[in-house]
Amino acid sequence: MHDKWAELRSRIKREVHISHTNYVNGMIGDIKHDTKPFWRYINGQKEDKHGIPPLKTNSKLAITDLDKACAFNAQFTSVFTKTLFSVIPFCRPACSRMADITISTHGVEKLLKGLNKNKAVGPDNIHPWVLSEIASDFAPMLSHLYQQSLTSIYQDFV
């Protein structure tokens, strides 16, 4: 009787493991083409879902996100000093002039088309899919803008 129970328990444990693995693999899908389901699953497995716990400051308990951010800001600004760039020595390079950098429309277009369309929007709030789709039309303007920026920066140092 004991052997039969142990065998049945082992078989059920194995079946549960196989079922769980199949469930997770089906839920995650093809990770090479879309990583979002994978990260959603990983983040769901985290045990700490509350982020930063309340912080004890000198005057009170920081509970809200804003209070915590202010507490961290107060701590970090009290520890670090501001660098005065006017006291840092700057020497102009005595070597020969570096070759000019040219930003080509073709290069900008290639980079835009190579963006991962599954990534989230960046700080500019433009989705990579949009940038990839309008790369041919947008690349000439961007390359001109980047080239002008580099040229003006270089002129400031000459």
Side-chain angles (χ1 to χ4, degrees):
M1 178 77 169
H2 185 276
D3 291 338
K4 192 168 187 157
W5 181 81
E7 179 186 331
L8 185 60
R9 184 180 63 174
S10 176
R11 189 167 20 142
I12 290 172
K13 197 174 187 180
R14 189 171 39 251
E15 288 296 324
V16 167
H17 178 72
I18 290 169
S19 294
H20 180 262
T21 302
N22 289 339
Y23 167 75
V24 170
N25 287 337
M27 185 176 55
I28 290 174
D30 188 3
I31 196 167
K32 289 184 181 179
H33 293 94
D34 188 10
T35 60
K36 287 181 184 176
F38 169 76
W39 288 112
R40 193 176 312 121
Y41 174 76
I42 295 298
N43 287 331
Q45 296 300 306
K46 288 183 184 176
E47 291 188 22
D48 177 22
K49 297 181 192 307
H50 303 291
I52 300 172
L55 301 172
K56 186 176 181 182
T57 63
N58 292 340
S59 58
K60 63 178 182 167
L61 191 64
I63 297 173
T64 67
D65 288 342
L66 181 60
D67 290 341
K68 292 175 193 175
C70 290
F72 279 125
N73 184 41
Q75 173 61 29
F76 292 142
T77 54
S78 72
V79 176
F80 294 104
T81 58
K82 186 173 182 175
T83 302
L84 298 174
F85 292 104
S86 60
V87 298
I88 298 175
F90 177 76
C91 298
R92 297 204 181 273
C95 60
S96 63
R97 190 178 150 207
M98 187 174 89
D100 290 335
I101 297 172
T102 304
I103 298 178
S104 70
T105 302
H106 173 73
V108 172
E109 183 178 349
K110 182 178 176 184
L111 290 171
L112 288 174
K113 286 185 176 180
L115 291 174
N116 185 343
K117 297 177 185 179
N118 294 321
K119 296 289 185 178
V121 298
D124 55 6
N125 285 327
I126 302 174
H127 200 283
W129 178 83
V130 173
L131 291 172
S132 179
E133 290 295 315
I134 64 170
S136 302
D137 298 324
F138 206 46
M141 292 177 277
L142 281 179
S143 62
H144 179 73
L145 176 71
Y146 296 151
Q147 189 66 55
Q148 290 300 313
S149 297
L150 271 178
T151 302
S152 68
I153 289 170
Y154 180 73
Q155 288 174 351
D156 291 344
F157 285 106
V158 175

